[in-house]
């Protein structure tokens, strides 16, 4: 299975008022951690769509073997970033038969999760494999190529949620309990750092 990964990193992070994907996570940034985990997962091709913080991301992130696309109209919403990323990936890698879509502020995303999603697709033959947390089916999401056209027709800032709602019968999920921890505000980051300190003492939960 030739799988591409699309990492969405174009937003302005207005509530954080700084590039949240570049916040420290151990000796890395959150974005570098995510890129390293994706690369370790045996993904066929990786694309990252940048926008408001394009310059800062390039200055602080190793983008070797990552197709990095600057989205000048990032403010038009997540859908346009998805469209640009998928079109760019398919132009470079027309043989892709599935696509992982992920955001750049889920610090607990890891290789094990991504591998489990790929395995679940093979086992269930479902067209969509979504992460599941707190009763929500969300990112990262793995889409079969039959959904590429629908993804390229998305509009607005709701991402691929409308596709998940429309094709709920073709979805299987993988538990990702820490997926609910995204980083939108300084308070979110404080809670994240507090969890890391706790886990350093008590051990990382499964």
């Amino acid at each position: 299975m030739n799988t591409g990964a699309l990492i969405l990193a174009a937003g302005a992070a207005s509530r954080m008022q700084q590039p949240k994907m570049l916040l420290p996570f151990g000796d890395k940034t959150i974005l570098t951690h995510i890129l390293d985990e994706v690369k370790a997962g045996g993904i066929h091709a990786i694309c990252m769509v940048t926008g408001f913080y394009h310059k800062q991301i390039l200055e602080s992130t190793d983008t070797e073997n990552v197709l990095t696309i600057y989205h000048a109209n990032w403010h038009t919403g997540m859908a346009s970033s998805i469209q640009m990323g998928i079109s760019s990936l398919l132009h470079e890698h027309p043989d892709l038969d599935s696509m992982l879509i992920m955001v750049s502020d889920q610090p607990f995303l890891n290789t094990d999760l991504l591998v489990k999603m790929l395995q679940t697709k093979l086992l269930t033959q479902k067209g969509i494999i979504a992460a599941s947390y707190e009763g929500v089916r969300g990112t990262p999401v793995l889409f079969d190529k039959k959904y590429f056209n629908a993804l390229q027709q998305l509009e607005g800032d709701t991402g691929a949620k409308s596709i998940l709602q429309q094709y709920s019968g073709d979805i299987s999920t993988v538990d990702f309990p820490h997926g609910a921890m995204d980083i939108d505000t300084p308070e979110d980051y404080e809670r994240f750092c507090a969890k890391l300190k706790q886990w350093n003492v008590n051990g990382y939960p499964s």
Side-chain angles (χ1 to χ4, degrees):
M1 184 164 61
N2 290 335
T3 301
L6 172 57
I7 301 171
L8 304 175
S14 56
R15 287 189 284 169
M16 180 64 74
Q17 297 188 340
Q18 61 177 306
K20 56 187 178 181
M21 71 288 287
L22 300 182
L23 290 168
F25 182 10
D27 59 354
K28 304 178 181 181
T29 66
I30 293 172
L31 179 58
T32 295
H33 162 75
I34 289 173
L35 284 169
D36 287 349
E37 295 297 309
V38 173
K39 290 175 181 178
I43 303 301
H44 187 69
I46 304 171
C47 176
M48 177 170 61
V49 178
T50 64
F52 189 85
Y53 292 111
H54 175 73
K55 182 179 178 182
Q56 292 94 318
I57 288 173
L58 290 188
E59 289 174 345
S60 61
T61 307
D62 179 5
T63 58
E64 184 179 3
N65 297 321
V66 177
L67 178 63
T68 304
I69 306 297
Y70 171 62
H71 183 18
N73 295 319
W74 59 267
H75 54 276
T76 58
M78 190 179 293
S80 59
S81 290
I82 292 173
Q83 291 168 356
M84 178 172 284
I86 290 179
S87 295
S88 299
L89 262 180
L90 291 178
H91 178 75
E92 297 289 330
H93 303 275
D95 59 335
L96 293 180
D97 49 31
S98 60
M99 185 85 65
L100 273 161
I101 296 180
M102 58 194 72
V103 292
S104 58
D105 63 345
Q106 284 183 305
F108 297 121
L109 185 147
N110 57 52
T111 300
D112 287 345
L113 171 69
L114 301 181
V115 170
K116 193 175 294 184
M117 294 179 76
L118 294 171
Q119 291 173 340
T120 300
K121 185 178 190 301
L122 292 174
L123 288 171
T124 65
Q125 295 297 303
K126 294 288 188 179
I128 302 172
I129 310 298
S132 175
Y133 39 88
E134 294 188 352
V136 173
R137 295 183 298 194
T139 54
V141 185
L142 175 63
F143 288 96
D144 185 83
K145 64 181 179 182
K146 67 184 178 182
Y147 291 106
F148 288 177
N149 286 338
L151 288 165
Q152 291 178 289
Q153 294 172 17
L154 291 171
E155 296 180 354
D157 199 36
T158 57
K161 187 180 298 182
S162 61
I163 296 178
L164 270 64
Q165 293 171 341
Q166 184 176 358
Y167 298 99
S168 59
D170 195 25
I171 299 177
S172 187
T173 60
V174 173
D175 288 339
F176 180 31
H178 305 303
M181 172 61 78
D182 55 9
I183 310 271
D184 287 324
T185 66
E187 292 76 20
D188 289 340
Y189 186 61
E190 288 177 11
R191 285 193 292 272
F192 165 63
C193 291
K195 278 196 173 187
L196 288 184
K197 288 179 181 178
Q198 177 186 352
W199 292 346
N200 285 339
V201 173
N202 299 322
Y204 193 92
S206 59

